[in-house]
Amino acid sequence: MPGNTDPLYSRAGTLGVPAAVTAANTSSQGGGTIGTDIFLALTADAINGSFIRELRMNPVASVAATATTATVARVFLSTQASGATTSANTHLFAEVALASQTADQATTATTPVIVPMNFVLPAGWSVLITNHAAPAANTNWKTIPIGGNY
Amino acid sequence: MKTPIVFLNAAHAGRRGFMDVDESSHTVMSITFDDGTTVPDNPGYSYRTADVDAEIKAKEATPVLEPEQPGELNA
């Protein structure tokens, strides 16, 4: 017998914890300290897990017309939501190139980088983000997860 | 362009250096420790720019005030 024959719908939308990356992490193996060099974007619903449709990464700046540093963003799935992470509990899910963009312009919009997810993140797991290079002064890449909690 | 940085790895915590950014491509070409050792994008290093580090440390040093509870002003 299958465990469930009924479709599942999310109970409430979630945007996780929109995460601004403020540091470089040059490892793709998942090691770091959450909040210092690897950043929490979403923690799955503690009981039923969460569906994640996508991550939207936007370049932002506090000073008009500032160029971001070209880098690679990494998305990790982890059983940790705080403290230190290691390659044993934090696993690379995707890498995307973040080309330099001039953020916060008067008449030209930036372009978000979208990472499709489209899967159910089990309870006890979280989504973490790193950037390979440190952001340029007065800029960073901010990640907003879009999904729903079951 | 050389931008001052602060290393964050436990093994190098607090050590300073700089990242060399190519101004035309906005690409980090290398990172260098305060002793002059250059590590061209080697895996395993984490760091942030010195201005962001100062901003974060200033925030950490600022006491967080608890928000007032509803009705507290009228109590």
Side-chain angles (χ1 to χ4, degrees):
Chain A
M1 281 290 289
N4 177 35
T5 57
D6 295 324
L8 284 172
Y9 299 100
S10 55
R11 171 175 53 84
T14 181
L15 299 176
V17 188
V21 175
T22 57
N25 188 329
T26 63
S27 169
S28 63
Q29 293 189 313
T33 303
I34 294 174
T36 300
D37 57 5
I38 186 166
F39 297 85
L40 179 67
L42 183 139
T43 304
D45 181 89
I47 297 172
N48 299 313
S50 302
F51 179 80
I52 312 173
R53 191 182 75 186
E54 68 190 37
L55 303 176
R56 291 176 72 90
M57 299 180 179
N58 279 292
V60 297
S62 58
V63 173
T66 308
T68 62
T69 299
T71 188
V72 166
R74 297 192 176 97
V75 179
F76 294 91
L77 304 181
S78 176
T79 55
Q80 306 299 112
S82 63
T85 60
T86 69
S87 58
N89 56 34
T90 301
H91 315 285
L92 184 64
F93 173 77
E95 287 190 336
V96 286
L98 302 179
S100 176
Q101 292 193 42
T102 303
D104 193 19
Q105 297 186 77
T107 58
T108 305
T110 55
T111 305
V113 173
I114 297 172
V115 182
M117 304 287 274
N118 289 318
F119 69 90
V120 177
L121 187 67
W125 286 76
S126 61
V127 176
L128 305 176
I129 309 290
T130 64
N131 280 182
H132 190 94
N138 306 310
T139 72
N140 62 65
W141 281 86
K142 193 163 195 180
T143 300
I144 301 178
I146 297 174
N149 289 333
Y150 290 114
Chain B
M1 181 177 64
K2 290 180 168 53
T3 303
I5 59 173
V6 177
F7 287 88
L8 301 168
N9 309 63
H12 306 290
R15 277 188 76 179
R16 290 177 175 269
F18 63 83
M19 61 179 184
D20 193 2
V21 181
D22 178 76
E23 288 185 56
S24 58
S25 64
H26 301 285
T27 303
V28 177
M29 305 307 288
S30 62
I31 52 176
T32 301
F33 283 96
D34 48 8
D35 65 1
T37 310
T38 297
V39 281
D41 245 8
N42 280 7
Y45 292 103
S46 56
Y47 59 94
R48 58 192 176 211
T49 56
D51 57 345
V52 169
D53 188 65
E55 202 175 296
I56 288 171
K57 284 192 173 139
K59 269 187 198 162
E60 285 171 354
T62 306
V64 178
L65 300 175
E66 292 293 325
E68 292 178 341
Q69 296 300 310
E72 195 171 286
L73 287 175
N74 298 325

